Amino acid sequence: MLLPTVPRTRLRSADQPAIDTPFGPLTFTTTIGNTGLPLRPDELFQLPADHTLARWVTPAVRVELLLTPYDPELDPENWGPLTGCRAAVWRIDALAPLGRVQFSAGLPVRLPEGADRGYDGGQGLAAITVEDETTRLTVGGNDEEAICWAADAGSAPRRWAALIDEVHDHSFSTWGVDYGHYHGLSWTLAPAGGRRPL
């Protein structure tokens, strides 16, 4: 359980977890097998220091999503000053064997007039950027290569480290990052053994 001992205030779970941005809300979805979890969680909590925790519970799985302020260490020569940065952290507890697991973060399909969007990833980074004349918003996370590195370092399931040869072979479609026509990002987790459910 994410942050099990932190004081919390229960919010109306009728609210969908989201991060407000100048280009509209950044919203989150989770798919387990072929079933998408409801947009509104079973429980939603406000935590100290502007953290929000959402929880979904099914007979097969418990999923938690933590939205939190984040202070990244960025190279000032390549990045302008940040006016705000947020992180989304998913946690999944499988109570039964699972099929495909996918997490997504997406912006509205329609952008304000004058805004443009496109790919903005790099080494180990899956990212899209939306910008207009005054604002630049980047949504990103680990790409397939970084996921394999994390597995090799022990911070993701170790079996994923063996998938490094699949990273640049686009004939594999069972796992990886989808850029969603630059409306958002979806991470589909690799199945166990390359072919079986998690």
Side-chain angles (χ1 to χ4, degrees):
M1 183 178 301
L2 287 171
L3 306 178
T5 61
V6 173
R8 62 198 67 200
T9 302
R10 185 182 293 272
L11 301 175
R12 294 183 328 135
S13 58
D15 295 330
Q16 179 182 4
I19 295 173
D20 291 328
T21 82
F23 300 108
L26 180 67
T27 57
F28 304 90
T29 60
T30 306
T31 301
I32 306 294
N34 294 319
T35 304
L37 296 182
L39 296 180
R40 294 177 175 88
D42 297 314
E43 298 178 292
L44 186 63
F45 300 98
Q46 184 68 51
L47 308 178
D50 198 25
H51 297 69
T52 303
L53 179 67
R55 182 179 298 136
W56 293 261
V57 179
T58 75
V61 68
R62 180 173 60 204
V63 175
E64 293 182 324
L65 171 63
L66 175 67
L67 303 180
T68 176
Y70 177 59
D71 187 15
E73 295 182 8
L74 298 177
D75 181 353
E77 293 184 13
N78 295 319
W79 293 85
L82 293 178
T83 57
C85 190
R86 307 278 295 176
V89 181
W90 279 274
R91 176 186 167 95
I92 181 167
D93 289 318
L95 308 175
L98 301 178
R100 180 184 71 150
V101 176
Q102 183 181 73
F103 303 101
S104 300
L107 290 163
V109 173
R110 289 188 171 206
L111 291 176
E113 189 174 339
D116 194 17
R117 65 177 102 210
Y119 173 81
D120 201 17
Q123 184 74 36
L125 174 67
I128 62 167
T129 289
V130 181
E131 58 188 329
D132 60 17
E133 292 181 357
T134 62
T135 305
R136 181 178 189 199
L137 170 69
T138 299
V139 179
N142 285 354
D143 69 3
E144 294 90 345
E145 194 171 37
I147 290 169
C148 292
W149 294 338
D152 193 48
S155 58
R158 287 209 182 263
R159 65 182 178 269
W160 294 351
L163 301 176
I164 191 69
D165 292 336
E166 297 183 11
V167 167
H168 301 292
D169 184 346
H170 298 292
S171 65
F172 290 92
S173 60
T174 59
W175 71 283
V177 182
D178 183 343
Y179 293 85
H181 303 290
Y182 312 123
H183 298 141
L185 297 170
S186 294
W187 290 264
T188 301
L189 302 183
R195 299 291 173 205
R196 297 186 305 277
L198 290 172

